[in-house]
């Protein structure tokens, strides 16, 4: 990858679905500052990366690129406990529940998301999450509705 960078064929490179051990091994091969990103599964119902992947990436300057930030066809239903929490927070901000979810997931500076958008309006809605700032109480409310759980023995992926 570094040869591809030197020859101008790529600007940077990253990895996908690497856990903390995989990242440490890659860092040993590539050296500090070379890994641009780690693309991993991350949504409200799957927060495993918060245990060690996000902290590792923050400590080593690696961007976390969250795929499937709305889940895999299972975004919280409006009448569910989690859906009601998202709706309440969204109403307070004049936002949508999906914007609230994206704001929550990207609350750490090292995390970006790549939500799917099927239309220009949907893409604009997703982008609207960028200006949404959640309070500590709102973050705690979402955290309670969607607890991250114990650290798993393996990194979840699709």
């Amino acid at each position: 990858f570094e040869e591809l960078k030197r020859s101008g064929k790529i600007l940077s490179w990253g990895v996908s679905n690497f856990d903390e051990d995989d990242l440490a091994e890659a860092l040993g091969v590539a050296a500090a500052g070379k890994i641009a990103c780690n693309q991993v599964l991350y949504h409200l119902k799957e927060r495993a990366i918060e245990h060690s992947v996000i902290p590792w990436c923050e400590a080593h300057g690696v961007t976390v690129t969250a795929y499937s930030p709305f889940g895999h066809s299972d975004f919280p239903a409006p009448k569910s406990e989690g859906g009601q929490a998202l709706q309440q927070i969204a109403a307070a901000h004049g936002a949508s529940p999906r914007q609230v979810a994206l704001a929550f997931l990207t609350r750490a500076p090292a995390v970006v998301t790549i939500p799917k958008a099927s239309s220009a309006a949907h893409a604009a809605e997703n982008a609207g999450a960028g200006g949404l700032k959640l309070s500590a109480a709102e973050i705690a409310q979402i955290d309670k509705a969607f607890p991250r759980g114990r650290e798993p023995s393996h990194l979840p992926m699709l």
Side-chain angles (χ1 to χ4, degrees), residues 66-71 98 102 113-128:
Y67 68 81
S68 293
F70 298 133
R98 289 178 182 264
L102 290 175
T113 60
I114 49 173
K116 183 177 179 179
S118 58
S119 67
H122 191 191
E125 178 187 0
N126 291 341

Side-chain angles (χ1 to χ4, degrees), residues 15-37:
V15 296
S16 182
N17 297 313
F18 275 34
D19 64 16
E20 183 180 13
D21 291 339
D22 295 331
L23 288 162
E25 184 178 345
L27 182 66
V29 172
K34 303 294 184 182
I35 305 168
C37 67

Side-chain angles (χ1 to χ4, degrees), residues 5 22 29 37 69 85-86 91 100 121 127 134 142 144 147:
K5 279 180 66 174
D22 295 331
V29 172
C37 67
L86 294 174
V100 171
L134 301 175
I142 296 168
K144 182 180 178 192

Side-chain angles (χ1 to χ4, degrees), residues 10 30 38 99 101 122 137:
I10 62 173
N38 182 21
Q99 289 173 322
H122 191 191

Side-chain angles (χ1 to χ4, degrees), residues 122-147:
H122 191 191
E125 178 187 0
N126 291 341
L132 185 59
K133 300 296 179 217
L134 301 175
S135 69
E138 291 167 332
I139 290 170
Q141 183 179 359
I142 296 168
D143 191 48
K144 182 180 178 192
F146 302 96

Side-chain angles (χ1 to χ4, degrees), residues 64-88:
V64 175
T65 304
Y67 68 81
S68 293
F70 298 133
H72 193 64
S73 301
D74 66 343
F75 191 75
K79 294 192 185 276
S80 69
E81 178 186 350
Q84 289 176 6
L86 294 174
Q87 185 57 49
Q88 179 186 8

